[in-house]
Amino acid sequence: MTEDLIKQFTTKYEFLRGFTHVAADAAEAADIAASIIKEVEGQRVALGDLPDKMMQIFEERCWEDEVEVIKPPYNRSDLPDLIDKAHVGISWTKFAIAETGSLVEVNTDDSLRLVSLLPRVHVGILMAENLVKTLPEAAPRLRDFFSSKPSNAVVTFISGPSRTGDIEMRLTLGVHGPEVSHAIVIRGKNGSA
């Protein structure tokens, strides 16, 4: 079932002009992210609220590649400019919806949302076990989140790069957010193989 959901998510996310990658574990996810950073010649990366192990791997990898890392907690007086200057934003996704090709980020800290909204390239990372098939299947997870965090709870649905259509209905990418969007699905449990 998980492989079917990965395939369905990949097909839909790529239809929406995003790029998908499947990793066996956190280390492979870091390798994929590093190759994306190199491809776009990124010199500064903003990290979201990644699990500790993933944060450590990404910091080490960026240090090896001489890429500047900015990470939480973010000083609010430096925002949004600090994250806006990042070439790549890497965020953790609580779950994703396969049928819509949507990464779902849940936060109570607005500064963490900026990581997926401001840099020109966004990389969202999720665990394959956290893929759901439909929006109705996602509803209980969202309800639980809003119940447990009644104030300042924010959900962001990310379905590929930012897009907008002008009056002549020409689609333009990256006007109001990332122009390139990647999703890395990790097959292993909790970011490990």
Side-chain angles (χ1 to χ4, degrees):
M1 180 68 165
T2 301
E3 290 302 315
D4 291 340
L5 287 177
I6 292 172
K7 184 177 180 181
Q8 184 180 11
F9 172 78
T10 297
T11 300
K12 187 63 175 183
Y13 198 77
E14 290 177 357
F15 174 77
L16 297 168
R17 300 202 178 149
F19 298 95
T20 56
H21 314 269
V22 179
D25 55 26
E28 187 177 355
D31 290 342
I32 293 168
S35 69
I36 293 166
I37 294 165
K38 283 181 185 175
E39 180 181 312
V40 301
E41 298 178 358
Q43 294 300 307
R44 177 183 281 178
V45 174
L47 299 179
D49 194 20
L50 301 172
D52 292 340
K53 178 182 176 185
M54 301 256 332
M55 185 75 78
Q56 180 182 359
I57 290 170
F58 278 108
E59 284 185 279
E60 288 171 3
R61 190 60 193 266
C62 287
W63 182 82
E64 290 169 8
D65 294 340
E66 298 180 359
V67 174
E68 180 185 356
V69 173
I70 54 175
K71 64 179 186 170
Y74 291 110
N75 183 342
R76 292 197 183 277
S77 65
D78 295 334
L79 299 175
D81 294 338
L82 179 68
I83 294 173
D84 192 38
K85 291 177 182 172
H87 302 110
V88 178
I90 300 175
S91 64
W92 184 251
T93 304
K94 292 294 184 191
F95 64 97
I97 304 168
E99 77 173 356
T100 62
S102 301
L103 300 171
V104 183
E105 288 185 356
V106 295
N107 286 303
T108 56
D109 181 346
D110 285 339
S111 67
L112 296 176
R113 288 183 59 222
L114 298 177
V115 171
S116 61
L117 299 174
L118 293 180
R120 301 312 290 165
V121 177
H122 172 247
V123 179
I125 302 172
L126 71 140
M127 299 302 302
E129 64 195 44
N130 291 326
L131 274 166
V132 297
K133 185 172 183 164
T134 66
L135 185 57
E137 287 178 48
R141 293 175 184 233
L142 294 171
R143 213 174 2 263
D144 289 346
F145 172 65
F146 283 107
S147 295
S148 66
K149 312 285 187 200
S151 63
N152 205 31
V154 180
V155 175
T156 307
F157 292 84
I158 303 167
S159 300
S162 167
R163 62 185 58 75
T164 190
D166 67 8
I167 200 158
E168 295 174 8
M169 299 309 291
R170 285 182 298 206
L171 185 64
T172 305
L173 300 179
V175 174
H176 303 290
E179 63 188 53
V180 179
S181 185
H182 293 263
I184 301 175
V185 181
I186 301 176
R187 279 197 173 103
K189 292 220 175 250
N190 299 320
S192 60

